[in-house]
Amino acid sequence: RCSDVVLAVSEWDRRKIIELEGLPEERVQVFRNGIPSFPDQRSDVRAQLEAQNAALIGAIGRLDPVKGYDDLIRAVGLLKRDGRVIRCVIAGVGPDQGRLQELIGELDLADEVRLLGLREDIADLLRALDVAVLSSHSEGAPLAVIEYMAAAAPIVATNVGGVPELIDDGVHGLLVAPSDPSRLAAGIGRLLDDRELARRLGAAAQARQRAELDLDVTVKRLEAL
């Protein structure tokens, strides 16, 4: 409350801060997250993930109920039911790990879904994905999506919080309703079937990340402020 300027990572967060804290609108500015560019060196992780002959989808982030990974797992079950050969990997740790592992077993998806735990090769992992997924129920400006963008990964994300400020639907990725495994599966299936669309969305997302959400851009904006 003593600050001259308060920074919010999205317009959605800015409105929440003004509403909840009662701060003057002019004191709260949107200041988006930025990440360093990914290194150029690459390694192929598809063989390690046993996905040479399967469609590979994935997500990164802490294993927490708000991330909606149960919806993603159920979406994989729907895609499997439709006859797709698919692998889904989720990188991260968190309190929901046990529940998610149980759900994988209940749905008989042990061959299709793998919880990878912590990974040091996120850039390579994301570059290997045919589709990167954000299934969250609530978000501000998720770093996971910005990392997907940096890797030029085709994105399917839930239309929550500040996500639409990062991803224009049909331009940088596909947005779907949250808490709806069938719509999540439909979005994933669309990008698996239309690889030219997937490539175009991934390229546009990467271009936006480099222009607006790169760490150097963020530092210059902070210096100017």
mmCIF file of all heavy atoms in Angstrom, residues 45-98:
data_model
loop_
_atom_site.group_PDB
_atom_site.id
_atom_site.type_symbol
_atom_site.label_atom_id
_atom_site.label_comp_id
_atom_site.label_asym_id
_atom_site.label_seq_id
_atom_site.Cartn_x
_atom_site.Cartn_y
_atom_site.Cartn_z
ATOM 1 N N VAL A 45 14.507 -36.552 -27.080
ATOM 2 C CA VAL A 45 14.097 -37.315 -25.904
ATOM 3 C C VAL A 45 12.932 -38.258 -26.207
ATOM 4 O O VAL A 45 12.451 -38.952 -25.312
ATOM 5 C CB VAL A 45 13.693 -36.373 -24.744
ATOM 6 C CG1 VAL A 45 14.868 -35.513 -24.331
ATOM 7 C CG2 VAL A 45 12.498 -35.520 -25.118
ATOM 8 N N ARG A 46 12.487 -38.318 -27.452
ATOM 9 C CA ARG A 46 11.318 -39.155 -27.754
ATOM 10 C C ARG A 46 11.588 -40.631 -27.475
ATOM 11 O O ARG A 46 10.717 -41.342 -26.964
ATOM 12 C CB ARG A 46 10.878 -38.963 -29.206
ATOM 13 C CG ARG A 46 10.259 -37.606 -29.487
ATOM 14 C CD ARG A 46 9.688 -37.556 -30.893
ATOM 15 N NE ARG A 46 8.462 -38.322 -31.005
ATOM 16 C CZ ARG A 46 7.237 -37.785 -31.000
ATOM 17 N NH1 ARG A 46 7.084 -36.465 -30.885
ATOM 18 N NH2 ARG A 46 6.172 -38.540 -31.121
ATOM 19 N N ALA A 47 12.778 -41.102 -27.806
ATOM 20 C CA ALA A 47 13.094 -42.511 -27.554
ATOM 21 C C ALA A 47 13.076 -42.798 -26.059
ATOM 22 O O ALA A 47 12.543 -43.824 -25.609
ATOM 23 C CB ALA A 47 14.449 -42.861 -28.159
ATOM 24 N N GLN A 48 13.638 -41.892 -25.277
ATOM 25 C CA GLN A 48 13.652 -42.061 -23.826
ATOM 26 C C GLN A 48 12.235 -42.119 -23.263
ATOM 27 O O GLN A 48 11.970 -42.835 -22.288
ATOM 28 C CB GLN A 48 14.415 -40.887 -23.206
ATOM 29 C CG GLN A 48 14.475 -40.902 -21.695
ATOM 30 C CD GLN A 48 14.980 -39.580 -21.176
ATOM 31 O OE1 GLN A 48 14.329 -38.960 -20.322
ATOM 32 N NE2 GLN A 48 16.109 -39.114 -21.664
ATOM 33 N N LEU A 49 11.333 -41.391 -23.902
ATOM 34 C CA LEU A 49 9.949 -41.351 -23.439
ATOM 35 C C LEU A 49 9.086 -42.437 -24.082
ATOM 36 O O LEU A 49 7.876 -42.477 -23.863
ATOM 37 C CB LEU A 49 9.342 -39.985 -23.742
ATOM 38 C CG LEU A 49 10.041 -38.792 -23.080
ATOM 39 C CD1 LEU A 49 9.455 -37.481 -23.591
ATOM 40 C CD2 LEU A 49 9.928 -38.865 -21.568
ATOM 41 N N GLU A 50 9.705 -43.309 -24.888
ATOM 42 C CA GLU A 50 9.027 -44.418 -25.545
ATOM 43 C C GLU A 50 7.878 -43.913 -26.411
ATOM 44 O O GLU A 50 6.761 -44.438 -26.372
ATOM 45 C CB GLU A 50 8.526 -45.427 -24.511
ATOM 46 C CG GLU A 50 9.653 -46.029 -23.667
ATOM 47 C CD GLU A 50 9.130 -46.936 -22.569
ATOM 48 O OE1 GLU A 50 7.896 -47.075 -22.448
ATOM 49 O OE2 GLU A 50 9.954 -47.501 -21.828
ATOM 50 N N ALA A 51 8.177 -42.864 -27.200
ATOM 51 C CA ALA A 51 7.126 -42.247 -28.013
ATOM 52 C C ALA A 51 7.535 -42.132 -29.472
ATOM 53 O O ALA A 51 7.030 -41.270 -30.188
ATOM 54 C CB ALA A 51 6.799 -40.873 -27.450
ATOM 55 N N GLN A 52 8.419 -43.024 -29.930
ATOM 56 C CA GLN A 52 8.860 -42.931 -31.329
ATOM 57 C C GLN A 52 7.703 -43.120 -32.296
ATOM 58 O O GLN A 52 7.656 -42.498 -33.358
ATOM 59 C CB GLN A 52 9.953 -43.963 -31.632
ATOM 60 C CG GLN A 52 11.175 -43.879 -30.729
ATOM 61 C CD GLN A 52 11.119 -44.874 -29.595
ATOM 62 O OE1 GLN A 52 10.105 -44.982 -28.910
ATOM 63 N NE2 GLN A 52 12.196 -45.617 -29.414
ATOM 64 N N ASN A 53 6.757 -44.001 -31.935
ATOM 65 C CA ASN A 53 5.662 -44.338 -32.850
ATOM 66 C C ASN A 53 4.310 -43.910 -32.302
ATOM 67 O O ASN A 53 3.273 -44.484 -32.649
ATOM 68 C CB ASN A 53 5.660 -45.843 -33.111
ATOM 69 C CG ASN A 53 6.964 -46.312 -33.725
ATOM 70 O OD1 ASN A 53 7.439 -45.742 -34.702
ATOM 71 N ND2 ASN A 53 7.557 -47.347 -33.145
ATOM 72 N N ALA A 54 4.317 -42.893 -31.454
ATOM 73 C CA ALA A 54 3.073 -42.419 -30.842
ATOM 74 C C ALA A 54 3.018 -40.903 -30.906
ATOM 75 O O ALA A 54 4.042 -40.231 -31.016
ATOM 76 C CB ALA A 54 2.987 -42.893 -29.389
ATOM 77 N N ALA A 55 1.818 -40.361 -30.850
ATOM 78 C CA ALA A 55 1.657 -38.924 -30.682
ATOM 79 C C ALA A 55 2.063 -38.573 -29.254
ATOM 80 O O ALA A 55 1.653 -39.236 -28.300
ATOM 81 C CB ALA A 55 0.209 -38.527 -30.932
ATOM 82 N N LEU A 56 2.892 -37.545 -29.097
ATOM 83 C CA LEU A 56 3.417 -37.183 -27.782
ATOM 84 C C LEU A 56 2.830 -35.848 -27.349
ATOM 85 O O LEU A 56 3.043 -34.821 -27.998
ATOM 86 C CB LEU A 56 4.944 -37.101 -27.827
ATOM 87 C CG LEU A 56 5.636 -36.750 -26.498
ATOM 88 C CD1 LEU A 56 5.351 -37.816 -25.443
ATOM 89 C CD2 LEU A 56 7.137 -36.580 -26.706
ATOM 90 N N ILE A 57 2.080 -35.869 -26.257
ATOM 91 C CA ILE A 57 1.559 -34.642 -25.685
ATOM 92 C C ILE A 57 2.114 -34.519 -24.276
ATOM 93 O O ILE A 57 2.592 -35.493 -23.683
ATOM 94 C CB ILE A 57 0.020 -34.613 -25.667
ATOM 95 C CG1 ILE A 57 -0.530 -35.653 -24.684
ATOM 96 C CG2 ILE A 57 -0.535 -34.849 -27.059
ATOM 97 C CD1 ILE A 57 -2.040 -35.556 -24.489
ATOM 98 N N GLY A 58 2.076 -33.307 -23.721
ATOM 99 C CA GLY A 58 2.641 -33.160 -22.390
ATOM 100 C C GLY A 58 2.310 -31.843 -21.746
ATOM 101 O O GLY A 58 1.749 -30.932 -22.359
ATOM 102 N N ALA A 59 2.679 -31.760 -20.463
ATOM 103 C CA ALA A 59 2.454 -30.567 -19.669
ATOM 104 C C ALA A 59 3.565 -30.467 -18.636
ATOM 105 O O ALA A 59 4.167 -31.477 -18.246
ATOM 106 C CB ALA A 59 1.093 -30.627 -18.977
ATOM 107 N N ILE A 60 3.845 -29.230 -18.194
ATOM 108 C CA ILE A 60 4.821 -29.023 -17.132
ATOM 109 C C ILE A 60 4.206 -28.145 -16.058
ATOM 110 O O ILE A 60 3.363 -27.285 -16.340
ATOM 111 C CB ILE A 60 6.128 -28.385 -17.648
ATOM 112 C CG1 ILE A 60 5.857 -27.016 -18.286
ATOM 113 C CG2 ILE A 60 6.822 -29.305 -18.642
ATOM 114 C CD1 ILE A 60 7.127 -26.273 -18.675
ATOM 115 N N GLY A 61 4.607 -28.374 -14.808
ATOM 116 C CA GLY A 61 4.101 -27.562 -13.703
ATOM 117 C C GLY A 61 3.905 -28.404 -12.459
ATOM 118 O O GLY A 61 3.945 -29.639 -12.509
ATOM 119 N N ARG A 62 3.708 -27.723 -11.336
ATOM 120 C CA ARG A 62 3.569 -28.466 -10.085
ATOM 121 C C ARG A 62 2.288 -29.310 -10.105
ATOM 122 O O ARG A 62 1.291 -28.922 -10.717
ATOM 123 C CB ARG A 62 3.568 -27.511 -8.890
ATOM 124 C CG ARG A 62 2.309 -26.704 -8.709
ATOM 125 C CD ARG A 62 2.445 -25.718 -7.539
ATOM 126 N NE ARG A 62 1.184 -25.075 -7.239
ATOM 127 C CZ ARG A 62 0.700 -24.026 -7.897
ATOM 128 N NH1 ARG A 62 1.384 -23.519 -8.906
ATOM 129 N NH2 ARG A 62 -0.460 -23.494 -7.547
ATOM 130 N N LEU A 63 2.358 -30.451 -9.441
ATOM 131 C CA LEU A 63 1.215 -31.361 -9.395
ATOM 132 C C LEU A 63 0.274 -30.898 -8.282
ATOM 133 O O LEU A 63 0.413 -31.275 -7.123
ATOM 134 C CB LEU A 63 1.690 -32.801 -9.169
ATOM 135 C CG LEU A 63 2.729 -33.328 -10.166
ATOM 136 C CD1 LEU A 63 2.999 -34.810 -9.915
ATOM 137 C CD2 LEU A 63 2.279 -33.091 -11.606
ATOM 138 N N ASP A 64 -0.671 -30.072 -8.654
ATOM 139 C CA ASP A 64 -1.591 -29.446 -7.710
ATOM 140 C C ASP A 64 -2.998 -29.517 -8.311
ATOM 141 O O ASP A 64 -3.151 -29.415 -9.533
ATOM 142 C CB ASP A 64 -1.183 -27.981 -7.500
ATOM 143 C CG ASP A 64 -1.999 -27.294 -6.422
ATOM 144 O OD1 ASP A 64 -3.132 -26.871 -6.729
ATOM 145 O OD2 ASP A 64 -1.508 -27.181 -5.290
ATOM 146 N N PRO A 65 -4.036 -29.688 -7.501
ATOM 147 C CA PRO A 65 -5.385 -29.805 -8.061
ATOM 148 C C PRO A 65 -5.781 -28.658 -8.983
ATOM 149 O O PRO A 65 -6.523 -28.870 -9.950
ATOM 150 C CB PRO A 65 -6.277 -29.840 -6.812
ATOM 151 C CG PRO A 65 -5.408 -30.452 -5.751
ATOM 152 C CD PRO A 65 -4.029 -29.930 -6.026
ATOM 153 N N VAL A 66 -5.283 -27.436 -8.727
ATOM 154 C CA VAL A 66 -5.675 -26.290 -9.550
ATOM 155 C C VAL A 66 -5.173 -26.419 -10.987
ATOM 156 O O VAL A 66 -5.720 -25.787 -11.906
ATOM 157 C CB VAL A 66 -5.158 -24.974 -8.919
ATOM 158 C CG1 VAL A 66 -3.658 -24.821 -9.123
ATOM 159 C CG2 VAL A 66 -5.902 -23.767 -9.477
ATOM 160 N N LYS A 67 -4.169 -27.282 -11.207
ATOM 161 C CA LYS A 67 -3.609 -27.447 -12.548
ATOM 162 C C LYS A 67 -4.476 -28.338 -13.440
ATOM 163 O O LYS A 67 -4.219 -28.444 -14.641
ATOM 164 C CB LYS A 67 -2.198 -28.023 -12.470
ATOM 165 C CG LYS A 67 -1.207 -27.114 -11.756
ATOM 166 C CD LYS A 67 -1.035 -25.783 -12.460
ATOM 167 C CE LYS A 67 0.022 -24.920 -11.811
ATOM 168 N NZ LYS A 67 0.183 -23.603 -12.473
ATOM 169 N N GLY A 68 -5.465 -29.012 -12.872
ATOM 170 C CA GLY A 68 -6.411 -29.770 -13.693
ATOM 171 C C GLY A 68 -5.819 -30.959 -14.424
ATOM 172 O O GLY A 68 -6.335 -31.362 -15.468
ATOM 173 N N TYR A 69 -4.768 -31.557 -13.874
ATOM 174 C CA TYR A 69 -4.152 -32.685 -14.576
ATOM 175 C C TYR A 69 -5.075 -33.898 -14.638
ATOM 176 O O TYR A 69 -4.930 -34.748 -15.524
ATOM 177 C CB TYR A 69 -2.826 -33.073 -13.917
ATOM 178 C CG TYR A 69 -1.738 -32.058 -14.127
ATOM 179 C CD1 TYR A 69 -0.956 -31.612 -13.070
ATOM 180 C CD2 TYR A 69 -1.478 -31.538 -15.392
ATOM 181 C CE1 TYR A 69 0.044 -30.676 -13.263
ATOM 182 C CE2 TYR A 69 -0.473 -30.601 -15.589
ATOM 183 C CZ TYR A 69 0.277 -30.172 -14.520
ATOM 184 O OH TYR A 69 1.259 -29.243 -14.715
ATOM 185 N N ASP A 70 -6.036 -33.983 -13.719
ATOM 186 C CA ASP A 70 -7.009 -35.079 -13.820
ATOM 187 C C ASP A 70 -7.828 -34.934 -15.099
ATOM 188 O O ASP A 70 -8.162 -35.933 -15.752
ATOM 189 C CB ASP A 70 -7.912 -35.131 -12.591
ATOM 190 C CG ASP A 70 -8.538 -33.792 -12.236
ATOM 191 O OD1 ASP A 70 -8.046 -32.745 -12.731
ATOM 192 O OD2 ASP A 70 -9.503 -33.778 -11.450
ATOM 193 N N ASP A 71 -8.139 -33.694 -15.499
ATOM 194 C CA ASP A 71 -8.843 -33.482 -16.768
ATOM 195 C C ASP A 71 -7.980 -33.914 -17.951
ATOM 196 O O ASP A 71 -8.486 -34.509 -18.915
ATOM 197 C CB ASP A 71 -9.214 -32.004 -16.937
ATOM 198 C CG ASP A 71 -10.189 -31.522 -15.876
ATOM 199 O OD1 ASP A 71 -11.003 -32.341 -15.407
ATOM 200 O OD2 ASP A 71 -10.129 -30.327 -15.515
ATOM 201 N N LEU A 72 -6.687 -33.608 -17.890
ATOM 202 C CA LEU A 72 -5.781 -34.022 -18.960
ATOM 203 C C LEU A 72 -5.711 -35.539 -19.056
ATOM 204 O O LEU A 72 -5.761 -36.106 -20.153
ATOM 205 C CB LEU A 72 -4.388 -33.431 -18.724
ATOM 206 C CG LEU A 72 -3.275 -33.875 -19.683
ATOM 207 C CD1 LEU A 72 -3.644 -33.625 -21.135
ATOM 208 C CD2 LEU A 72 -1.966 -33.188 -19.321
ATOM 209 N N ILE A 73 -5.605 -36.204 -17.917
ATOM 210 C CA ILE A 73 -5.531 -37.667 -17.918
ATOM 211 C C ILE A 73 -6.818 -38.265 -18.485
ATOM 212 O O ILE A 73 -6.786 -39.207 -19.293
ATOM 213 C CB ILE A 73 -5.245 -38.177 -16.489
ATOM 214 C CG1 ILE A 73 -3.828 -37.761 -16.060
ATOM 215 C CG2 ILE A 73 -5.409 -39.699 -16.409
ATOM 216 C CD1 ILE A 73 -3.554 -37.956 -14.582
ATOM 217 N N ARG A 74 -7.955 -37.718 -18.102
ATOM 218 C CA ARG A 74 -9.219 -38.210 -18.645
ATOM 219 C C ARG A 74 -9.315 -37.937 -20.145
ATOM 220 O O ARG A 74 -9.879 -38.739 -20.906
ATOM 221 C CB ARG A 74 -10.394 -37.568 -17.904
ATOM 222 C CG ARG A 74 -10.476 -37.980 -16.439
ATOM 223 C CD ARG A 74 -11.690 -37.378 -15.739
ATOM 224 N NE ARG A 74 -11.625 -37.595 -14.308
ATOM 225 C CZ ARG A 74 -11.943 -38.729 -13.690
ATOM 226 N NH1 ARG A 74 -12.376 -39.748 -14.413
ATOM 227 N NH2 ARG A 74 -11.852 -38.849 -12.382
ATOM 228 N N ALA A 75 -8.773 -36.807 -20.595
ATOM 229 C CA ALA A 75 -8.753 -36.514 -22.029
ATOM 230 C C ALA A 75 -7.925 -37.542 -22.783
ATOM 231 O O ALA A 75 -8.297 -37.972 -23.888
ATOM 232 C CB ALA A 75 -8.205 -35.108 -22.265
ATOM 233 N N VAL A 76 -6.815 -37.964 -22.191
ATOM 234 C CA VAL A 76 -5.993 -39.014 -22.818
ATOM 235 C C VAL A 76 -6.809 -40.299 -22.940
ATOM 236 O O VAL A 76 -6.739 -41.002 -23.960
ATOM 237 C CB VAL A 76 -4.709 -39.255 -22.003
ATOM 238 C CG1 VAL A 76 -3.956 -40.474 -22.534
ATOM 239 C CG2 VAL A 76 -3.813 -38.027 -22.057
ATOM 240 N N GLY A 77 -7.602 -40.599 -21.907
ATOM 241 C CA GLY A 77 -8.453 -41.777 -21.984
ATOM 242 C C GLY A 77 -9.438 -41.697 -23.137
ATOM 243 O O GLY A 77 -9.689 -42.694 -23.831
ATOM 244 N N LEU A 78 -9.994 -40.521 -23.381
ATOM 245 C CA LEU A 78 -10.927 -40.339 -24.499
ATOM 246 C C LEU A 78 -10.209 -40.500 -25.841
ATOM 247 O O LEU A 78 -10.754 -41.106 -26.779
ATOM 248 C CB LEU A 78 -11.579 -38.959 -24.413
ATOM 249 C CG LEU A 78 -12.481 -38.716 -23.193
ATOM 250 C CD1 LEU A 78 -12.966 -37.272 -23.175
ATOM 251 C CD2 LEU A 78 -13.659 -39.676 -23.191
ATOM 252 N N LEU A 79 -8.998 -39.961 -25.939
ATOM 253 C CA LEU A 79 -8.226 -40.088 -27.179
ATOM 254 C C LEU A 79 -7.848 -41.550 -27.434
ATOM 255 O O LEU A 79 -7.888 -42.019 -28.574
ATOM 256 C CB LEU A 79 -6.974 -39.215 -27.092
ATOM 257 C CG LEU A 79 -7.234 -37.699 -27.084
ATOM 258 C CD1 LEU A 79 -5.994 -36.946 -26.639
ATOM 259 C CD2 LEU A 79 -7.685 -37.219 -28.466
ATOM 260 N N LYS A 80 -7.515 -42.261 -26.374
ATOM 261 C CA LYS A 80 -7.202 -43.689 -26.505
ATOM 262 C C LYS A 80 -8.436 -44.456 -26.973
ATOM 263 O O LYS A 80 -8.343 -45.332 -27.850
ATOM 264 C CB LYS A 80 -6.702 -44.245 -25.175
ATOM 265 C CG LYS A 80 -6.408 -45.738 -25.192
ATOM 266 C CD LYS A 80 -6.006 -46.235 -23.809
ATOM 267 C CE LYS A 80 -5.759 -47.744 -23.816
ATOM 268 N NZ LYS A 80 -5.390 -48.245 -22.463
ATOM 269 N N ARG A 81 -9.593 -44.124 -26.409
ATOM 270 C CA ARG A 81 -10.841 -44.789 -26.789
ATOM 271 C C ARG A 81 -11.152 -44.594 -28.269
ATOM 272 O O ARG A 81 -11.739 -45.459 -28.912
ATOM 273 C CB ARG A 81 -11.986 -44.246 -25.934
ATOM 274 C CG ARG A 81 -13.316 -44.974 -26.115
ATOM 275 C CD ARG A 81 -14.430 -44.219 -25.438
ATOM 276 N NE ARG A 81 -14.661 -42.910 -26.067
ATOM 277 C CZ ARG A 81 -15.483 -41.996 -25.576
ATOM 278 N NH1 ARG A 81 -16.138 -42.204 -24.450
ATOM 279 N NH2 ARG A 81 -15.643 -40.843 -26.215
ATOM 280 N N ASP A 82 -10.710 -43.441 -28.798
ATOM 281 C CA ASP A 82 -10.928 -43.151 -30.220
ATOM 282 C C ASP A 82 -9.929 -43.866 -31.125
ATOM 283 O O ASP A 82 -9.957 -43.679 -32.346
ATOM 284 C CB ASP A 82 -10.837 -41.645 -30.467
ATOM 285 C CG ASP A 82 -12.031 -40.903 -29.870
ATOM 286 O OD1 ASP A 82 -13.054 -41.553 -29.584
ATOM 287 O OD2 ASP A 82 -11.929 -39.678 -29.688
ATOM 288 N N GLY A 83 -9.055 -44.654 -30.531
ATOM 289 C CA GLY A 83 -8.122 -45.446 -31.322
ATOM 290 C C GLY A 83 -6.770 -44.800 -31.570
ATOM 291 O O GLY A 83 -5.973 -45.313 -32.366
ATOM 292 N N ARG A 84 -6.484 -43.699 -30.915
ATOM 293 C CA ARG A 84 -5.193 -43.034 -31.118
ATOM 294 C C ARG A 84 -4.096 -43.720 -30.308
ATOM 295 O O ARG A 84 -4.306 -44.134 -29.170
ATOM 296 C CB ARG A 84 -5.270 -41.562 -30.713
ATOM 297 C CG ARG A 84 -6.206 -40.741 -31.580
ATOM 298 C CD ARG A 84 -6.152 -39.284 -31.155
ATOM 299 N NE ARG A 84 -7.111 -38.466 -31.881
ATOM 300 C CZ ARG A 84 -6.856 -37.858 -33.035
ATOM 301 N NH1 ARG A 84 -5.653 -37.996 -33.584
ATOM 302 N NH2 ARG A 84 -7.773 -37.135 -33.644
ATOM 303 N N VAL A 85 -2.913 -43.806 -30.897
ATOM 304 C CA VAL A 85 -1.722 -44.257 -30.181
ATOM 305 C C VAL A 85 -1.067 -43.009 -29.622
ATOM 306 O O VAL A 85 -0.545 -42.173 -30.360
ATOM 307 C CB VAL A 85 -0.756 -45.012 -31.115
ATOM 308 C CG1 VAL A 85 0.486 -45.451 -30.341
ATOM 309 C CG2 VAL A 85 -1.455 -46.199 -31.751
ATOM 310 N N ILE A 86 -1.111 -42.850 -28.316
ATOM 311 C CA ILE A 86 -0.740 -41.578 -27.699
ATOM 312 C C ILE A 86 0.081 -41.806 -26.440
ATOM 313 O O ILE A 86 -0.097 -42.810 -25.734
ATOM 314 C CB ILE A 86 -2.022 -40.768 -27.382
ATOM 315 C CG1 ILE A 86 -1.684 -39.324 -27.038
ATOM 316 C CG2 ILE A 86 -2.840 -41.430 -26.300
ATOM 317 C CD1 ILE A 86 -2.889 -38.415 -27.067
ATOM 318 N N ARG A 87 1.014 -40.892 -26.191
ATOM 319 C CA ARG A 87 1.761 -40.859 -24.948
ATOM 320 C C ARG A 87 1.610 -39.467 -24.364
ATOM 321 O O ARG A 87 1.700 -38.477 -25.074
ATOM 322 C CB ARG A 87 3.249 -41.152 -25.169
ATOM 323 C CG ARG A 87 3.543 -42.535 -25.704
ATOM 324 C CD ARG A 87 3.305 -43.621 -24.664
ATOM 325 N NE ARG A 87 3.607 -44.943 -25.208
ATOM 326 C CZ ARG A 87 2.753 -45.697 -25.878
ATOM 327 N NH1 ARG A 87 1.522 -45.251 -26.102
ATOM 328 N NH2 ARG A 87 3.094 -46.882 -26.337
ATOM 329 N N CYS A 88 1.382 -39.408 -23.059
ATOM 330 C CA CYS A 88 1.256 -38.140 -22.362
ATOM 331 C C CYS A 88 2.266 -38.120 -21.222
ATOM 332 O O CYS A 88 2.322 -39.056 -20.416
ATOM 333 C CB CYS A 88 -0.160 -37.959 -21.817
ATOM 334 S SG CYS A 88 -0.365 -36.481 -20.793
ATOM 335 N N VAL A 89 3.069 -37.053 -21.156
ATOM 336 C CA VAL A 89 4.050 -36.913 -20.085
ATOM 337 C C VAL A 89 3.757 -35.626 -19.314
ATOM 338 O O VAL A 89 3.410 -34.604 -19.894
ATOM 339 C CB VAL A 89 5.488 -36.896 -20.643
ATOM 340 C CG1 VAL A 89 5.835 -38.255 -21.232
ATOM 341 C CG2 VAL A 89 5.686 -35.806 -21.681
ATOM 342 N N ILE A 90 3.877 -35.702 -17.994
ATOM 343 C CA ILE A 90 3.662 -34.557 -17.121
ATOM 344 C C ILE A 90 4.892 -34.398 -16.255
ATOM 345 O O ILE A 90 5.234 -35.301 -15.481
ATOM 346 C CB ILE A 90 2.404 -34.734 -16.253
ATOM 347 C CG1 ILE A 90 1.169 -34.959 -17.131
ATOM 348 C CG2 ILE A 90 2.199 -33.526 -15.344
ATOM 349 C CD1 ILE A 90 -0.087 -35.335 -16.348
ATOM 350 N N ALA A 91 5.590 -33.284 -16.386
ATOM 351 C CA ALA A 91 6.816 -33.034 -15.636
ATOM 352 C C ALA A 91 6.514 -32.101 -14.473
ATOM 353 O O ALA A 91 5.928 -31.033 -14.660
ATOM 354 C CB ALA A 91 7.878 -32.420 -16.547
ATOM 355 N N GLY A 92 6.909 -32.519 -13.273
ATOM 356 C CA GLY A 92 6.693 -31.704 -12.088
ATOM 357 C C GLY A 92 6.452 -32.579 -10.868
ATOM 358 O O GLY A 92 6.263 -33.796 -10.990
ATOM 359 N N VAL A 93 6.462 -31.964 -9.711
ATOM 360 C CA VAL A 93 6.175 -32.662 -8.458
ATOM 361 C C VAL A 93 5.173 -31.831 -7.680
ATOM 362 O O VAL A 93 4.973 -30.649 -7.961
ATOM 363 C CB VAL A 93 7.452 -32.882 -7.610
ATOM 364 C CG1 VAL A 93 8.429 -33.799 -8.332
ATOM 365 C CG2 VAL A 93 8.131 -31.552 -7.284
ATOM 366 N N GLY A 94 4.536 -32.459 -6.696
ATOM 367 C CA GLY A 94 3.589 -31.715 -5.894
ATOM 368 C C GLY A 94 2.634 -32.612 -5.136
ATOM 369 O O GLY A 94 2.698 -33.853 -5.247
ATOM 370 N N PRO A 95 1.738 -32.019 -4.360
ATOM 371 C CA PRO A 95 0.887 -32.793 -3.453
ATOM 372 C C PRO A 95 -0.129 -33.690 -4.142
ATOM 373 O O PRO A 95 -0.685 -34.585 -3.510
ATOM 374 C CB PRO A 95 0.176 -31.694 -2.646
ATOM 375 C CG PRO A 95 0.210 -30.478 -3.519
ATOM 376 C CD PRO A 95 1.501 -30.566 -4.255
ATOM 377 N N ASP A 96 -0.400 -33.462 -5.415
ATOM 378 C CA ASP A 96 -1.426 -34.243 -6.116
ATOM 379 C C ASP A 96 -0.866 -35.498 -6.778
ATOM 380 O O ASP A 96 -1.615 -36.223 -7.447
ATOM 381 C CB ASP A 96 -2.095 -33.362 -7.183
ATOM 382 C CG ASP A 96 -3.588 -33.624 -7.306
ATOM 383 O OD1 ASP A 96 -4.179 -34.152 -6.347
ATOM 384 O OD2 ASP A 96 -4.164 -33.300 -8.359
ATOM 385 N N GLN A 97 0.407 -35.775 -6.594
ATOM 386 C CA GLN A 97 1.044 -36.876 -7.322
ATOM 387 C C GLN A 97 0.371 -38.219 -7.044
ATOM 388 O O GLN A 97 0.084 -38.983 -7.970
ATOM 389 C CB GLN A 97 2.531 -36.955 -6.973
ATOM 390 C CG GLN A 97 3.274 -38.053 -7.738
ATOM 391 C CD GLN A 97 4.787 -37.901 -7.635
ATOM 392 O OE1 GLN A 97 5.292 -36.843 -7.261
ATOM 393 N NE2 GLN A 97 5.497 -38.952 -7.966
ATOM 394 N N GLY A 98 0.128 -38.520 -5.769
ATOM 395 C CA GLY A 98 -0.475 -39.807 -5.425
ATOM 396 C C GLY A 98 -1.849 -39.977 -6.034
ATOM 397 O O GLY A 98 -2.177 -41.032 -6.588
#
